Amino acid sequence: MENKNTFYITTPIYYPSGNWHIGTCYTTVVCDAIARFYRMTGREVFFLTGTDEHGQKIQAKAKEKGVTPKEFVDAIVSDLKEIWKMLDISYDRFIRTTDPDHIKTVQYVFKRLYENGDIYKSRYEGWYCTECESFFTEIQLKDGKCPDCGREVHMEKEESYFLRLSKYADRILDLYKNNPDFLQPKSRMNEMINNFIKPGLQDLCVSRTSVKWGIPVEFDPDHTVYVWIDALSNYISALGYKNGNQELFDKFWPCDLHMTGKEIIRFHAIIWPAILMALDLPLPKRVYGHGWLLIGGDKLSKSKQDKISTELTDPKEIVVRYGKDALRYFLLREIPFGSDGAYSNEAFLNRINSDLSNDLGNLVSRTTAMIYQNFDGVLPAPCQKEPVDQELICLAEGLLEAVTRDIEEINVPKALSDIFKVVGRANKYIDETTPWVLAKEPDKKGRLAAVLYNLAETIRICATMLLPFIPSSAEKILAYLGITEKVGFDTIKGFGGLNSGITIEKAQPIFPRIDVKKEIKEIDEMMIKRHKEAQKTLQSADKNAEKSANKPVIDHPEEITIDDFFKTELRVALVTACEKVEKSDKLLKIQLSLGDETRQVVSGIAKYYSPEELVGKKVVLVANLKTAKLRGVESQGMILCGECGDTVKLIEPDSSLKEGSKIR
Ligand code: ME8
C-alpha cells in the first residue's frame, strides 16, 4: 500500500459559521504549505479541504433567515472559497458534505456498518451540547458543562443508531502502541488514552430523528446520519470511495496526514480509526493536532466575536492591507507548532517588518541593486573564492535537507526559521565582505563578482525553499533572478546552479517597511470607530424595542428606598426553550420554568446569545413586571444582564439555586 510518490493531506472540513477569522485560516494555510512542499519534491499530492454543512445549527439559522439550508450555506461557502483564493490555497478538491458523491459514500458506510453489526438501533438519553452538536455522558461533563466548549448542555432523548465504539478500544490502543507516530504531538496520545480510552469508550450516537438537515439513512429514512460519520467520511468520499470512480482512492488512500485542531483530535484519533477498522480499510499514517491561534486569550470562537478588541481578525482585510504572504508568513512562523500562539496587531507587524521587510527584502534589494550598479544587471561569474564564502555556501547547500527534515516532523515554524537563518547569514556575509568597499577598488572587481554571485545564488536557494510558504513573493524574487518557470527542489541540489551571464532585475521593495507605532494608532482608531458605529446601531434598535414596550427609558436612576427595591420580585428561572423573534435581529423569545409555573419573556439579547446557548441556563427573572408586547409578542417579565464593554452578559445564579427560588 505504501507509495512514496504520492502524498494525501487533509484539513478538517469547516462548519459554515460565516465568521471566518484568521484562526480558521491556520489549519488550511499550514496544510497548503506542506502540500506545496511535497509537490516540489516531485510527489503527486492530493490536498483536500471543504465544508461540513449538515446539522441542527445550520437548519436553525436557515430557518431564522427564511431560506433553505442549502441556500444558507451556499453564500457562506463561496465566501470561504474567496478567502482561500486570496490566500493562494492550492487545494485539489473542495468537498462539500452536500455533494452527491459524498452523500453516496456516507450512505454506503452507514449501511455497511449496520449490516456488519457495528451500528445498532437503540434509544438515546444524554447530555447534548447544541454548539458542538455532541452528546455526552454524565461523567464526561466538566462541572456539569460541555467538556469541549464549556457551554451549558441539556438532556435529550430519542431513538438513534449507535456505533459500537467500545468494541474497538483495544485495537485503538494497539494502533497507538505499534505506530508511535500515528498521533502527534506525542502529548495528544496520552490525552486520548487517559481521558477517553481508559475510562471506557462509550458507543457513539450516529443518527438523529429530530434533525432533518442531514443525509438520510438509506434503509430507515426517518433518521439522518449524525454529524461525525458524515463529516469524517469526507476523507474517503472525496477520493471516490464506493461512489463511482475509485481511482483516486486506490492511488491516495491511506491518508498521509490528517491535520486538525486539537479540540477535534478525539474524533480523528479514536472515532475515525474505529470506522475505518469496521470498514476494513487501512488507517491514516498520521494525525496531527495543532494548537490554536489566540486573540486576546480567545480561540475566537464564533460567539465571542463581538467582544471589544482592536485586533484585526478578518483575513480579507489583513490580506488587502498587508498582502497574502504577510498573513501566510505570520501564521506559519509565529505559532509554535503543536502549541497555542498569540495574534496581536503589534506581533504581526513586527514579525513582517523584521523578517520579511528587513531580513529578506533588504537582502534581495541590496544584492540586485549592486549587480545592477556594478555589472549593468548581468550576473558575474564567481571567480575569486575566499574562505569566508564557505560558511554561507555550506549553510545554503544544507538547507533543503534541513527543511525536509522539519517538514517530515511537521514542524513548519522550524522550517521557516532554518530558511531565515541562511537569509540572516547572507546579510552578515554582506557586512563581512563589504561589497560597497570592493566596488570602489578596480582590482577588486573579481572578488566583488564572487561576492555578488554567492549572494544571488543564496537568494535563489532561499526563494526556492520559500515557494511553499510565501509562494507569490518567492516567485517575484525568483523572477528578479530571471527564473520565471515553475521549479522543483531538484533545482537546488547543490550551490552554483544560477548561470552567470543572465540578466538580473533591480528589485522593488517586496515588503515595504511599516511604521509600526503609526500603523497601530491608525488601526486602533479605525477599530474603535467601527465599534462605536456598531454600538450606536445597537442602541437605537434597543431604544426602539423599549419604546414599543411603552417603557420609559431611564438614563439616570433616582435613589430609591429599600421598600421600593423590595417591590421588585426577583426569581431564579430555567430557560427551557428559546427562539428568535421573527423579523427582529435583537429580540429572543424565551420560555422559562419557575418550577411550578412557566413564563414567556422577550429579551433584546439576540446579538449576544444564540437561542441554543440559552437553553439550559438559569437566569434571574424580574417576575412581577407588567406584561408588555414587543414586536407583537407577549413578554411576562424581564431577565437581568450585566453590561460588559460592548456586550452584555447574563446574570447567572448559583447552579444549586432551584428554579423558582426568590432572590433577595
Ligand atoms: O471542527 N486557531 O469545524 P470548525 C487555530 N467541522 N485553529 C482554529 C481556530 C483558531 N483560533 N479556530 C478554528 C470542525 N480553528 C468540524 C471538523 S472534520 C471531519 C470536521 C480550526 O469549522 C479548528 O481547530 O469548527 C479546525 O481545525 C478548523 O479550524 C475547522 O473548525
Side-chain angles (χ1 to χ4, degrees), residues 12-15 21 23-24 26-27 52 228 231-232 234-235 260-261 263-264 268 290-293 299 302:
I13 44 174
Y14 285 79
Y15 290 127
H21 52 75
T24 49
Y26 180 61
T27 323
D52 186 359
W228 283 98
L232 290 161
N234 93 88
Y235 300 134
T260 87
E263 79 286 7
I264 49 172
H268 288 80
H290 66 68
W292 293 334
L293 177 67
K299 181 183 168 241
K302 301 113 205 182

Side-chain angles (χ1 to χ4, degrees), residues 358-490:
N358 276 3
D359 293 354
L360 180 64
N362 274 347
L363 174 66
V364 176
S365 21
R366 286 203 286 177
T367 304
T368 56
M370 285 189 286
I371 296 172
Y372 193 79
Q373 278 158 20
N374 298 295
F375 296 92
D376 294 328
V378 177
L379 184 69
C383 10
Q384 288 180 19
K385 293 197 173 108
E386 281 192 11
V388 66
D389 304 343
Q390 212 41 47
E391 200 189 325
L392 177 68
I393 293 174
C394 264
L395 264 183
E397 273 179 341
L399 189 56
L400 176 60
E401 201 185 312
V403 174
T404 303
R405 207 171 36 241
D406 298 334
I407 295 295
E408 270 161 12
E409 287 167 8
I410 326 180
N411 195 339
V412 179
K414 171 84 171 18
L416 282 171
S417 123
D418 282 341
I419 299 171
F420 275 79
K421 243 185 231 158
V422 182
V423 170
R425 186 64 192 83
N427 277 319
K428 191 169 161 224
Y429 177 79
I430 297 182
D431 298 339
E432 287 165 350
T433 53
T434 58
W436 58 92
V437 176
L438 300 174
K440 285 186 193 137
E441 297 173 39
D443 61 327
K444 295 278 168 66
K445 192 109 183 171
R447 180 60 193 145
L448 178 64
V451 167
L452 294 181
Y453 179 89
N454 289 339
L455 287 169
E457 173 64 349
T458 304
I459 291 172
R460 180 183 76 92
I461 290 175
C462 290
T464 307
M465 287 309 318
L466 282 170
L467 278 167
F469 308 97
I470 48 171
S472 107
S473 312
E475 268 172 25
K476 267 187 212 159
I477 296 172
L478 288 173
Y480 289 127
L481 304 178
I483 301 163
T484 48
E485 74 280 16
K486 220 169 154 200
V487 292
F489 291 136
D490 53 335

Side-chain angles (χ1 to χ4, degrees), residues 212-369:
K212 292 295 158 218
W213 177 237
I215 300 175
V217 172
E218 225 180 348
F219 53 87
D220 192 353
D222 279 348
H223 286 256
T224 52
V225 179
Y226 170 58
V227 287
W228 283 98
I229 285 205
D230 176 6
L232 290 161
S233 300
N234 93 88
Y235 300 134
I236 49 177
S237 67
L239 299 180
Y241 177 70
K242 300 287 178 190
N243 64 25
N245 182 356
Q246 269 199 206
E247 215 174 278
L248 285 175
F249 182 79
D250 295 339
K251 188 175 203 176
F252 288 103
W253 192 258
C255 183
D256 292 271
L257 180 57
H258 286 310
M259 181 68 71
T260 87
K262 62 180 178 183
E263 79 286 7
I264 49 172
I265 202 76
R266 177 163 65 98
F267 300 98
H268 288 80
I270 296 177
I271 297 171
W272 184 223
I275 294 173
L276 291 168
M277 285 170 187
L279 288 171
D280 208 12
L281 287 178
L283 302 179
K285 290 177 203 158
R286 261 192 300 182
V287 172
Y288 194 99
H290 66 68
W292 293 334
L293 177 67
L294 302 174
I295 300 153
D298 263 345
K299 181 183 168 241
L300 260 197
S301 61
K302 301 113 205 182
S303 52
K304 289 181 183 162
Q305 284 258 340
D306 46 18
K307 235 179 139 174
I308 199 162
S309 156
T310 53
E311 309 299 357
L312 293 173
T313 57
D314 174 2
K316 284 188 187 168
E317 185 168 21
I318 296 183
V319 169
V320 169
R321 278 181 92 93
Y322 309 106
K324 49 184 137 196
D325 284 343
L327 180 53
R328 283 180 69 107
Y329 184 78
F330 179 84
L331 292 174
L332 296 170
R333 177 69 185 88
E334 190 78 9
I335 296 141
F337 217 53
S339 320
D340 293 343
Y343 173 88
S344 69
N345 295 332
E346 194 177 355
F348 172 75
L349 296 171
N350 281 332
R351 177 58 84 180
I352 301 313
N353 253 1
S354 76
D355 294 10
L356 298 182
S357 174
N358 276 3
D359 293 354
L360 180 64
N362 274 347
L363 174 66
V364 176
S365 21
R366 286 203 286 177
T367 304
T368 56

